Amino acid sequence: MRVLGIDPGLTRCGVGVVDVRPDRKAALVEVTVIRTPPDLPLEQRLLAVGTGIDELLDAHRPDVVAIERVFAQHNLRTVMGVAQVSGVALHAAARRGLRVALHTPSEVKAAITGYGSADKKQVQAMVARILGLAEAPKPADAADALAIAICHAWRGAPAADSGAAGSVSPTGAQTTAQTPAQAAWLAAERSARTSGVPRRLAR
């Protein structure tokens, strides 16, 4: 599965592309940060971000696009920019007939580290380890985009050991065995549904 992950932002929009095998082994394809200057008119900033996303989608042809879910926060200006960029990304994916998934920060943290309240450094360190990198990509927006992509790939990936004992999903269906990170991801997803929307990955 090839996943293009997006950490939406108006000043810095992280975009990461990963290939993930059925055994959950992940490989880095590309990671970048699309930047726009604050003094540029809003429509021009959104055009620049959209053009950058378009180019990456056409260059790498992902199977799915994963985006960090927008949520309300005290800084209305920031959340508006995030929402606007998310809309641009959703539109770009829809024009190409691509599936889109939205993931909350706690879901991403749980998938990557096994702990839904992990801090940013822990997430970055695990992204580097998962992808076999000497260090995490910088700035943080780049590592976040890769984490979002890996999170989505692992969510739907089958267990590597098909002979392992299965577990029962929340719907009662039999599933393949889960890694600790997968189990933590599901717990974070259930928590997000019942306790409201979590905070965004810290900048």
Side-chain angles (χ1 to χ4, degrees):
M1 177 187 294
R2 173 164 290 186
V3 186
L4 185 144
I6 299 176
D7 179 40
L10 197 52
T11 301
R12 298 186 309 275
C13 178
V15 184
V17 184
V18 297
D19 284 340
V20 182
R21 303 186 331 207
D23 62 1
R24 297 189 179 90
K25 293 291 180 64
L28 174 65
V29 176
E30 182 171 346
V31 63
T32 188
V33 174
I34 303 169
R35 302 172 186 268
T36 66
D39 57 351
L40 200 66
L42 174 61
E43 67 274 16
Q44 293 299 320
R45 298 181 75 182
L46 292 173
L47 176 61
V49 174
T51 299
I53 292 174
D54 283 338
E55 291 173 352
L56 290 164
L57 287 171
D58 291 339
H60 298 295
R61 300 184 179 277
D63 300 302
V64 61
V65 175
I67 306 172
E68 183 178 291
R69 187 186 298 274
V70 177
F71 77 106
Q73 60 174 317
H74 296 302
N75 191 333
L76 181 60
R77 186 172 183 176
T78 297
V79 78
M80 283 297 294
V82 170
Q84 289 162 339
V85 170
S86 295
V88 168
L90 288 163
H91 181 264
R95 282 195 293 112
R96 291 164 175 77
L98 296 171
R99 293 181 294 121
V100 178
L102 302 176
H103 297 288
T104 65
S106 62
E107 291 167 358
V108 175
K109 291 175 182 178
I112 299 300
T113 70
Y115 180 50
S117 298
D119 63 29
K120 183 164 288 292
K121 287 186 178 180
Q122 290 173 311
V123 173
Q124 293 172 349
M126 283 304 298
V127 165
R129 181 177 177 183
I130 290 165
L131 295 175
L133 307 176
E135 60 180 9
K138 292 181 175 60
D141 313 82
D144 288 348
L146 291 171
I148 293 161
I150 295 167
C151 167
H152 179 77
W154 281 4
R155 177 189 181 187
D161 182 4
S162 59
S167 60
V168 178
S169 73
T171 61
Q174 190 75 13
T175 66
T176 53
Q178 300 169 347
T179 65
Q182 281 276 3
W185 189 95
L186 291 172
E189 184 182 47
R190 288 192 294 269
S191 176
R193 290 172 180 168
T194 58
S195 62
V197 184
R199 293 171 56 190
R200 197 162 183 265
L201 289 173
R203 292 291 179 197

